DNA sequence: CTTTCGATGATCT
DNA sequence: GATCATCGAAAGG
């Protein structure tokens, strides 16, 4: 499934990462507006796909528009949307969203009340939305996922990515400049 | 406000 | 055996 929610998931990861800002993402009815993303593609030393397919990163190599979920630091789950083309492994990490639907479920899963901390970071977001390895490889085009057309956001800026040690200077993190729900402010 | 550090386990060398 | 696309608590200024 190449196109979804008005986005071409065979486009370069940076384009997809930019286009996803403002889209509404839900998992079983729980979710909100994507406000922060990061692009990773096969030419990028920081990307899981950089050294080619392995059991962990296999879903990054296709098909596009599917979820790539991996375990981070042995504790957290992180959600990507695959945006590969022709065997070129790539994806966009969903780093933060503005909660809009299912706030009670999010609060319960996170053990927190503060809406600003429910989905501000990839691990927090996955916990709030109930995402686990079970979602790895599932298409975003149907249940339990729902991805709907982005509201056009004009105040999107890019900056350096977070938590990586390679290719640290690439400006491949995208976010809504004045959102209160970012994992960290943009530079 | 900032920095540091422990938790915790799959993955790859 | 080392390295993490993280988080939260604790300690320090």
């Amino acid at each position: 499934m190449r196109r979804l929610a008005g986005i071409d998931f065979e486009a370069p990861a940076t384009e997809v990462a930019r286009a996803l800002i403002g889209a509404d993402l839900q998992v079983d009815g729980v979710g909100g507006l994507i406000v922060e993303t990061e692009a990773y593609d096969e030419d990028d030393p920081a990307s899981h796909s950089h050294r080619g397919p392995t059991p962990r990163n296999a879903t990054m190599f296709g098909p596009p528009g599917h979820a790539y979920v991996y375990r981070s630091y042995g504790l957290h789950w992180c959600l990507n949307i695959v945006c590969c083309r022709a065997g070129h492994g790539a994806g966009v990490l969903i780093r933060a969203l503005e909660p809009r639907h299912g706030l009670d479920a999010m609060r319960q899963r996170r053990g927190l009340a503060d809406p600003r901390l429910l989905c501000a970071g990839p691990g927090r977001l996955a916990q709030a939305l109930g995402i686990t390895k079970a979602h790895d490889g599932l298409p975003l085009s149907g249940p339990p996922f729902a991805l709907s057309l982005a509201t056009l956001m004009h105040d999107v800026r890019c900056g350096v990515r977070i938590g990586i040690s390679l290719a640290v200077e690439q400006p491949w993190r995208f976010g809504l400049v004045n959102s209160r729900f970012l994992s960290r402010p943009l530079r």
Side-chain angles (χ1 to χ4, degrees):
Chain A
M1 157 245 327
R2 173 169 181 169
R3 295 192 71 89
L4 177 63
I7 298 171
D8 177 5
F9 282 93
E10 291 190 23
T14 49
E15 284 184 28
V16 175
R18 168 64 180 81
L20 278 168
I21 302 296
D24 185 281
L25 171 68
Q26 298 182 38
V27 181
D28 287 319
V30 177
L33 294 192
I34 297 174
V35 297
E36 183 182 338
T37 60
E38 283 178 358
Y40 290 91
D41 78 53
E42 194 172 343
D43 302 323
D44 167 14
S47 174
H48 290 172
S49 59
H50 182 240
R51 292 173 181 265
T54 68
R56 174 178 67 161
N57 67 20
T59 60
M60 288 188 84
F61 290 82
H66 288 230
Y68 165 52
V69 180
Y70 71 93
R71 180 115 65 179
S72 175
Y73 290 90
L75 291 180
H76 313 287
W77 299 106
C78 294
L79 170 68
N80 293 251
I81 303 181
V82 175
C83 57
C84 67
R85 71 259 190 210
H88 184 103
V92 172
L93 175 66
I94 310 300
R95 288 195 55 91
L97 59 76
E98 173 179 330
R100 287 272 179 99
H101 324 281
L103 278 282
D104 288 339
M106 291 188 192
R107 283 190 275 261
Q108 189 149 25
R109 288 167 176 159
R110 294 272 301 123
L112 277 174
D114 185 352
R116 297 175 59 148
L117 294 177
L118 289 176
C119 298
R124 292 164 170 169
L125 182 157
Q127 185 181 30
L129 271 55
I131 290 168
T132 70
K133 187 74 176 173
H135 295 89
D136 185 47
L138 297 182
L140 272 287
S141 57
F145 291 105
L147 184 68
S148 55
L149 196 62
T151 312
L152 185 56
M153 296 294 181
H154 296 287
D155 51 343
V156 176
R157 282 230 304 262
C158 61
V160 297
R161 293 173 293 180
I162 295 174
I164 56 172
S165 57
L166 297 170
V168 291
E169 301 179 13
Q170 300 300 334
W172 292 338
R173 172 176 178 240
F174 298 82
L176 261 187
V177 176
N178 291 321
S179 172
R180 301 159 45 231
F181 301 95
L182 298 175
S183 67
R184 293 175 50 176
L186 287 161
R187 186 171 64 102

